[in-house]
Amino acid sequence: MQHYLQKLLNGNKLTQDEMTIVAHSLFNEEISDSEVASVLTALKVRGESVEEITAIVEVLREKAMPITKALNNVMDNCGTGGDGIKSFNVSTTSAFVLAGAGAKVAKHGNRSVSSRTGSADVLEELGVALDFTSDEVEHLIDTNGIAFLFAPYVHHQLKRIMKVRQELSVPTIFNLIGPLINPVALETQFLGVYRRDMLMKMAAVLNKLGRKRSIVVNGAGHMDEASLAGENHFVLLEEGELIPFTLHPSEVGLNTYSNENIVGGDAKVNAQILLDVLHGKPSPYYETTLFNAGIGLFSSGIATSIKDGVDLARKSIETGCALEKLNHLIDYSQKRKKKEIS
């Protein structure tokens, strides 16, 4: 470990095989918290390479709760966090719209780390369980089109890393890889990053991880979601090709709003925002959800264009399909809770 740490501290990149060794070592109790922090800090200062990110993702997926059933055409939509905007739960809200429009979504998420309220916080507030087993995840994706995978539950070995991350109080490689370590074998993904310089790099990682098609976004104001505030920067991964493009919300018929208009609050506040959106209440939150869900539907191949995706997202909400997906998840969670009590 000391050899590789010194190499990192000297500003050198590790090969994918070397980073695989380091990644395994990070979860070894013989390695001190200070050594873990040193690795994370050195990677951040120098800048994480495609090979380093891919290696640590593959190790974490290898150690995760196994999802053994073959699930076809499953996607995830998630931002890395770290943008400092403290928005409402954009990707979580959008996930139900995606499912309501016919996508199969394995929504991987966590409690708040760099924002005020994480996906797990708001879903727990709504009554969704955070401890679905592998069989339940598979069943829910098959029957409801969406399941939630709580990162600390499906990645037991992350507990120690989370402690070090919180003590560092700065975004690390784990902010970047959080959306990549979903244990479900994803075919497509819509990924938001808070660093614009990481767009091509993260798209390249998705390619190495075997995604057939994906979109990576850095939004206006460097948001880790698509933003209504102005021009958004994207990279489309299509059959191994990385295609950069930009998009303004006005190009798909949406209004322009400052990022200040989509600031969220605590879990209770964000849960109400999510419900208001799924009930179709007009607001900047609603249009932001349409934008992100529309891009997600284009990323998954369900929509032929982002404009078409926005229209399908609106229909998902207006028909009540998106809300049905949430209600099913809540009802399932409450029924299993009653069984546990009895």
Side-chain angles (χ1 to χ4, degrees):
M1 182 64 174
Q2 284 299 320
H3 167 72
Y4 298 123
L5 178 54
Q6 191 60 54
K7 190 172 179 179
L8 287 170
L9 292 172
N10 289 339
N12 297 312
K13 294 180 181 179
L14 300 184
T15 66
Q16 192 161 326
D17 287 342
E18 288 174 331
M19 191 64 206
T20 298
I21 295 170
V22 171
H24 279 291
S25 297
L26 291 177
F27 306 105
N28 187 331
E29 291 302 322
E30 295 176 7
I31 303 299
S32 68
D33 286 356
S34 61
E35 286 177 304
V36 173
S38 295
V39 170
L40 300 184
T41 303
L43 286 168
K44 177 178 175 56
V45 170
R46 195 214 61 223
E48 305 86 347
S49 72
V50 170
E51 290 73 22
E52 289 164 343
I53 296 169
T54 303
I56 198 166
V57 167
E58 290 182 338
V59 168
L60 282 164
R61 293 192 71 249
E62 176 189 317
K63 293 176 175 289
M65 179 180 80
I67 304 293
T68 56
K69 185 175 181 179
L71 298 167
N72 298 321
N73 302 316
V74 181
M75 72 172 297
D76 193 3
N77 69 317
C78 191
T80 58
D83 61 15
I85 292 174
K86 302 188 184 302
S87 62
F88 77 109
N89 298 92
V90 179
S91 62
T92 307
T93 308
S94 301
F96 293 105
V97 182
L98 289 167
K104 291 183 179 181
V105 185
K107 186 72 184 81
H108 184 255
N110 206 338
R111 294 196 184 279
S112 172
V113 176
S114 59
S115 61
R116 294 175 70 178
T117 307
S119 55
D121 301 306
V122 73
L123 290 176
E124 186 177 49
E125 176 69 24
L126 289 164
V128 175
L130 303 183
D131 59 347
F132 293 128
T133 65
S134 298
D135 288 343
E136 288 176 318
V137 167
E138 293 164 359
H139 171 74
L140 285 165
I141 291 175
D142 274 341
T143 59
N144 190 45
I146 184 170
F148 181 66
L149 296 93
F150 181 41
Y153 184 75
V154 300
H155 300 283
H156 299 289
Q157 74 286 348
L158 275 176
K159 184 176 181 181
R160 182 189 188 198
I161 300 295
M162 288 294 296
K163 173 178 174 289
V164 175
R165 284 179 65 193
Q166 289 169 347
E167 289 174 353
L168 285 173
S169 298
V170 294
T172 69
I173 192 171
F174 280 88
N175 288 86
L176 295 172
I177 67 172
L180 303 174
I181 58 176
N182 194 319
V184 176
L186 305 174
E187 291 192 16
T188 61
Q189 190 160 358
F190 177 38
L191 169 65
V193 295
Y194 69 97
R195 287 170 50 187
R196 193 159 294 171
D197 64 306
M198 293 295 292
L199 277 171
M200 292 295 286
K201 192 174 287 187
M202 294 299 278
V205 171
L206 290 173
N207 186 42
K208 286 180 75 70
L209 293 173
R211 306 290 192 267
K212 293 180 179 178
R213 179 182 167 93
S214 292
I215 291 179
V216 185
V217 63
N218 177 259
H222 295 273
M223 188 175 174
D224 70 328
E225 313 277 0
S227 168
L228 300 175
E231 188 173 68
N232 295 266
H233 293 251
F234 300 87
V235 175
L236 168 66
L237 165 63
E238 177 100 65
E239 299 295 337
E241 186 178 359
L242 305 184
I243 308 165
F245 68 99
T246 59
L247 184 71
H248 192 281
S250 61
E251 296 177 61
V252 291
L254 296 172
N255 293 310
T256 303
Y257 292 100
S258 163
N259 286 334
E260 294 177 357
N261 291 115
I262 58 166
V263 169
D266 61 16
K268 189 176 185 66
V269 168
N270 282 12
Q272 188 58 56
I273 292 171
L274 186 152
L275 290 172
D276 287 345
V277 169
L278 297 191
H279 279 97
K281 182 179 179 180
S283 69
Y285 304 113
Y286 176 77
E287 292 205 39
T288 298
T289 301
L290 291 181
F291 196 23
N292 282 272
I295 297 164
L297 290 168
F298 176 62
S299 175
S300 71
I302 291 175
T304 57
S305 68
I306 294 176
K307 177 64 171 66
D308 180 40
V310 170
D311 292 339
L312 289 174
R314 185 178 283 108
K315 183 179 179 182
S316 174
I317 294 173
E318 290 178 348
T319 58
C321 290
L323 185 60
E324 285 177 12
K325 300 299 180 181
L326 170 62
N327 287 336
H328 183 100
L329 209 53
I330 294 171
D331 290 344
Y332 185 92
S333 300
Q334 297 310 306
K335 286 175 182 176
R336 79 194 279 273
K337 186 175 182 180
K338 288 179 181 178
K339 286 181 181 179
E340 289 171 1
I341 293 173
S342 61

